[in-house]
Amino acid sequence: MNFLEERIMHDGVVKEGNILKVDSFLNHQLDVELFDQMGAEWKKRFEGIEVNKILTIEASGIGIACIVAKHFGVPVVFAKKTQSVNLDGEMYTAEVESFTHKNKNQVIVSKKFLNENDKILIIDDFLANGCALQGLISIINQSGASVSGIGIAIEKGFQTGGQIIRNMGYKLESLAIVESMDPTTGTVEFRGQ
Ligand code: 5GP
């Protein structure tokens, strides 16, 4: 078991509706030392692959992406979920259905921050059905940039996203892949990597 799987076993809580709660270390209270370990691990897994920018999506992806960016020495761009007066100029947009909130959001990135020369590493906290990732990939495609790889903290392997994204040919590195989980017993099983 790797460091993230151990942490999930220790502090993760399995909820009804295929939800794994990890808010004590990943997406509400944030364990920055853990993020640092995750950054080092992705740096190893994407060794030799050119990356000049990290793209993530607000809100949970931002903290992780910022610590990971220190390992790659690159800036972070995050896709916004709401229009605001601060978003001016031309923008790339994509529609994303939220797994946790069950609604549809437009995700938005200013054209100023992505272009055809960019080699992007996408970072996010969870992969479930893959809608968030497909939205980010769509934005990257619109900009003409290329996807160098995708780093996910926790993939729920029993949902469809991982297979869809791997079938599209992307290098997807999930640090923990949950094979099954049971809300009545609280057990979590991981896919061997
Ligand atoms: P997808 O778009 O792949 O269906 O879902 C990905 C997004 O939904 C993630 O960015 C994450 O915010 C949220 N999400 C999906 N599954 C879970 C889960 O089991 N627990 C938590 N905390 N968030 C999840």
Side-chain angles (χ1 to χ4, degrees):
M1 219 182 279
N2 71 24
F3 63 95
L4 183 59
E5 293 167 336
E6 275 174 12
R7 189 61 180 273
I8 294 165
M9 292 300 273
H10 199 258
D11 292 328
V13 179
V14 182
K15 297 291 216 187
E16 293 290 343
N18 285 336
I19 294 287
L20 178 62
K21 226 170 166 271
V22 287
D23 57 354
S24 64
F25 61 97
L26 198 79
N27 53 21
H28 195 162
Q29 175 169 262
L30 310 179
D31 183 338
V32 177
E33 282 302 321
L34 181 80
F35 293 2
D36 197 45
Q37 267 183 291
M38 288 160 55
E41 179 64 25
W42 276 317
K43 181 73 182 149
K44 252 194 281 173
R45 294 194 189 194
F46 291 106
E47 174 129 45
I49 295 173
E50 203 184 335
V51 171
N52 77 329
K53 209 167 270 182
I54 288 177
L55 180 66
T56 188
I57 182 164
E58 70 175 355
S60 314
I62 298 174
I64 302 169
C66 288
I67 304 296
V68 174
K70 294 271 285 177
H71 289 264
F72 286 82
V74 300
V76 174
V77 175
F78 68 91
K80 298 196 176 212
K81 287 182 181 160
T82 46
Q83 275 283 4
S84 89
V85 284
N86 292 327
L87 265 172
D88 51 7
E90 289 191 87
M91 290 166 287
Y92 304 113
T93 62
E95 185 125 299
V96 169
E97 189 165 343
S98 164
F99 178 79
T100 38
H101 299 110
K102 307 285 177 218
N103 59 356
K104 280 193 177 172
N105 279 308
Q106 273 227 315
V107 294
I108 307 161
V109 174
S110 168
K111 288 194 176 177
K112 277 184 294 196
F113 302 124
L114 284 182
N115 67 58
E116 69 277 9
N117 299 317
D118 286 327
K119 311 259 185 281
I120 310 287
L121 174 62
I122 300 175
I123 293 289
D124 204 5
D125 59 342
F126 268 93
L127 172 55
N129 292 324
C131 298
L133 274 187
Q134 296 215 51
L136 294 178
I137 290 168
S138 161
I139 280 176
I140 292 170
N141 289 341
Q142 291 169 46
S143 74
S146 56
V147 179
S148 295
I150 302 169
I152 295 291
I154 306 174
E155 174 180 336
K156 291 188 291 181
F158 53 87
Q159 292 182 254
T160 54
Q163 197 180 358
I164 292 170
I165 298 294
R166 289 189 180 89
N167 286 346
M168 289 166 85
Y170 295 108
K171 180 173 168 57
L172 166 61
E173 292 290 343
S174 303
L175 302 185
I177 304 179
V178 176
E179 201 63 274
S180 65
M181 54 189 205
D182 184 341
T184 50
T185 58
T187 49
V188 178
E189 291 194 354
F190 297 101
R191 187 180 299 171
Q193 294 200 60

